[in-house]
Each structure stands twice: as structure tokens, then as C-alpha cells.
Amino acid sequence: MDLADATWTDVRDADPEVGVVPVGSTEQHGPHAPLGTDAMAAEAVAEAGVEAYEREDDDATVALAPTIPVGVAEEHRAFAGTLWVSPDTFRAYVRETAESLASHGVDVVVFVNGHGGNVDALREVTARLTRDGTAAAAAFTWFDVVDVDVPMGHGGGRETALLRHVAPHLVREDRVEQAAAGASDRWGDWVAGVNVAHDTDAFSANGVVGDPRDGDAATGEAMLDDAADALACVLDALADRTSD
Ligand SMILES: [Zn+2]
């Protein structure tokens, strides 16, 4: 159940035990892909995963929270339009959002994440929520679980392919060649095993890492299916943990 569309009485009557919170970012994704890429990807995966989970188990109702749109993304600050909050603010915000779900009886909370910069903070927060007994919590980062022959990068083949499936009108295909030409082939500036770059503009002129020409809409659809199945498995495993 989509919390933004439901009424409070709907939620009371359904009494969901599982909560899913999509977490994105609003940050540059090169000249060809929208600033909302990570939020859109997280939301699409969360919706598909919840659907897959509810399909497998008729009794299961999931509270799907609205997508958190701004994350830990200061590394992209050189690029116009990028928004960020500090890790402290982000951790507090996502933790308290999960705590409010738990106060209504939700005892499984999974953050469905679309941005690499959020990973460390989400790992800390989900460990704390679990150890405190607030909820069985986990962070699910979609691009880490899909099995596809397209490297991740940033605004590269994997993310662009997912967009080609879920929001094709937002991919500026006429700028993809230019995006590829200005891209870096790896994340960071590595010297003797150490990444000496903190900000993206130190190693990528246009913000892209990888090749956005890789991965068509069918690849995007396959990744979405993969991620949805994986999310359903994670929800199922956490629900099992809390049932005994
Ligand atoms: Zn991204």
C-alpha cells in the first residue's frame, strides 16, 4: 500500500508489518540523464519489489513510504542543480522515518537505495535500528544486486538503461554521444591503491563514469525484474526473522 495514496484508516485496517522506504538523491547524472535518476530508480525498484512480494504472499501488506529525494551527495557539488545534506542529517532523517513506521506496528523496514553515497549511512542506521529492537532493518541498493553485463559507473550504462525502461522521455538520447566522450572510465583518481579524489569533477569533466551507450530498455527491464525479485527475497527473509 502506497502511504501517500492511502488514508490513515486504510493503514490502521491493513496493519502492515513490513515497511519499504525508497531513498534517492538529486544530483548530476551527466548531460544526458536527469538529476532525479537515483530517486526514480529507487522508487521503480521499490514498487516492483513490493508488488512481487505481495504477489507471493496474499496476506502480506507492505507500507510503501514516499521516496526520500535528497541524500549524501556533496561529491557532486560542482555540478549545477545537485542537492545534498550532511551524513548526520541524512542518518537522523531516515532513522526517524523508520522509527515512525515502527511506532505503527511495522517491524521490518527496508530502505531501497539508488545512490552509492547513501550506502555507508544506511548501513549504520539499519544496524542501529536492528540492534535497538526498533525493527529488523536492511539497506537494499539496487545496482549492487542485479546481475547484468553492463558496468555500474555513474550516469553510465546501468543507470541509463534502467531509465530507458522506466522514464525514457527523460533520457536525452541526442546527448549520449557527448556524455560518453566526456566520461571517465572509473570512479575516482587512484594512486597506489588510494583514491585521492573526493569530488566527481576531479576525475570526470561532465560527471559521467562509464558508457551510457551501453544497455538498452530491455536491459533496463531485466534489471528491474532482477532487483524486484531480490527485494522480495529480502523482505521475506526479514519477515521470517520477526515472525518467531
Ligand atoms: Zn545515480
Side-chain angles (χ1 to χ4, degrees), residues 112-197:
V112 175
N113 176 42
H115 172 50
N118 296 339
V119 168
D120 290 350
L122 289 174
R123 189 177 297 120
E124 283 180 49
V125 167
T126 53
R128 183 48 55 204
L129 288 165
T130 303
R131 288 176 182 140
D132 289 350
T134 307
F140 177 98
T141 298
W142 75 267
F143 47 78
D144 287 340
V145 304
V146 295
D147 184 18
V148 63
D149 197 21
V150 176
M152 177 49 193
H154 182 78
R158 211 173 277 200
E159 285 182 306
T160 308
L162 191 74
L163 284 174
R164 286 184 175 115
H165 174 56
V166 302
H169 59 292
L170 293 177
V171 179
R172 280 66 166 181
E173 295 290 356
D174 58 337
R175 297 186 204 151
V176 164
E177 284 298 326
Q178 173 203 343
S184 165
D185 57 4
R186 71 189 297 201
W187 182 272
D189 180 11
W190 293 83
V191 180
V194 174
N195 179 11
V196 297

Side-chain angles (χ1 to χ4, degrees), residues 25 27-29 34-39 41 76 114-116 142-143 152-156 159:
S25 181
E27 66 181 47
Q28 73 83 14
H29 275 78
L35 292 155
T37 294
D38 293 347
H76 298 296
H115 172 50
W142 75 267
F143 47 78
M152 177 49 193
H154 182 78
E159 285 182 306

Side-chain angles (χ1 to χ4, degrees), residues 40-135:
M40 288 175 212
E43 189 164 305
V45 168
E47 283 171 357
V50 165
E51 212 180 282
Y53 177 68
E54 289 180 338
R55 200 167 45 229
E56 275 164 31
D57 180 352
D58 289 342
D59 301 332
T61 304
V62 177
L64 176 60
T67 302
I68 293 174
V70 178
V72 181
E74 192 176 359
E75 70 270 23
H76 298 296
R77 65 189 177 152
F79 297 92
T82 296
L83 307 179
W84 65 90
V85 293
S86 69
D88 282 347
T89 300
F90 179 79
R91 280 191 295 262
Y93 194 91
V94 298
R95 177 175 48 76
E96 290 174 25
T97 302
E99 286 169 351
S100 56
L101 278 171
S103 80
H104 301 301
V106 167
D107 55 16
V108 169
V109 175
V110 173
F111 295 106
V112 175
N113 176 42
H115 172 50
N118 296 339
V119 168
D120 290 350
L122 289 174
R123 189 177 297 120
E124 283 180 49
V125 167
T126 53
R128 183 48 55 204
L129 288 165
T130 303
R131 288 176 182 140
D132 289 350
T134 307

